[in-house]
Amino acid sequence: MYVLIAVVVVLLLGGVGALVVTLTGRDDDSSGPTQPATAPPPAATSSEPGSEPSSEPTSSTTPSTSAPRLTEATALATKFLAYVNASDRKHALALGCADSRQILAGLLVFMIDPPTKLTVNGPPVATVTYYRKISVPYSGTTKGPVPRTGTVDIMDQPSAPLCVRLTTFR
């Protein structure tokens, strides 16, 4: 009897240990995409050299180096919202990143019901969290008169096409 209990305890501890290792591995994977974020500073040095004395040009050169990507991200978010407004989940999800389509599908199912009228309502903002992203703000209504605001978060990997990573709702 004690041997059986000891075996069960060892198996449980092994399972918990495997879960911790798996979760820790995922955190390491999510920190990997932030490494390409070091690519923009070399691009920033290709901008005009006279703006080095203050620290503000560094933050202003990052958006200016990705200005075409900001425009592309706004266009992608606008297209995504048009599909959401038309209740066309298939095409909306096709704009999603491969690794986040299931999460995005869940968000669309649980948080948006027709009639939906969402539109981009502000300038995009490039940030780096676990990955480089461009957040495009939107506002409008869903489920009839229920007001919504939020962002369409676009993954911004310099070597990959833009894709919708997540959508936040407020």
Side-chain angles (χ1 to χ4, degrees):
M1 180 79 162
Y2 291 113
V3 172
L4 181 61
I5 292 173
V7 169
V8 170
V9 168
V10 168
L11 288 175
L12 283 174
L13 290 175
V16 169
L19 179 64
V20 168
V21 168
T22 302
L23 292 176
T24 303
R26 286 187 185 156
D27 285 344
D28 291 343
D29 291 342
S30 67
S31 66
T34 59
Q35 291 174 348
T38 59
T45 59
S46 66
S47 65
E48 298 182 41
S51 60
E52 281 186 275
S54 77
S55 62
E56 284 185 359
T58 310
S59 63
S60 66
T61 57
T62 302
S64 68
T65 59
S66 62
R69 298 283 276 191
L70 294 176
T71 302
E72 291 175 44
T74 302
L76 181 61
T78 301
K79 188 174 184 179
F80 175 77
L81 292 174
Y83 286 134
V84 169
N85 289 340
S87 297
D88 187 349
R89 288 188 171 108
K90 177 183 174 185
H91 286 99
L93 291 175
L95 299 176
C97 301
D99 63 342
S100 64
R101 283 191 188 126
Q102 289 181 340
I103 296 170
L104 199 55
L107 290 172
L108 293 178
V109 167
F110 291 110
M111 302 187 102
I112 297 179
D113 280 331
T116 299
K117 295 179 184 175
L118 303 173
T119 58
V120 170
N121 72 340
V125 177
T127 59
V128 176
T129 54
Y130 293 108
Y131 58 93
R132 285 176 53 123
K133 71 177 178 179
I134 300 171
S135 297
V136 181
Y138 70 85
S139 65
T141 59
T142 184
K143 299 179 184 180
V146 178
R148 290 277 187 199
T149 61
T151 60
V152 176
D153 292 337
I154 309 293
M155 179 169 281
D156 183 20
Q157 299 266 339
S159 61
L162 295 175
C163 59
V164 177
R165 175 80 176 172
L166 292 173
T167 301
T168 60
F169 296 95
R170 286 178 231 124

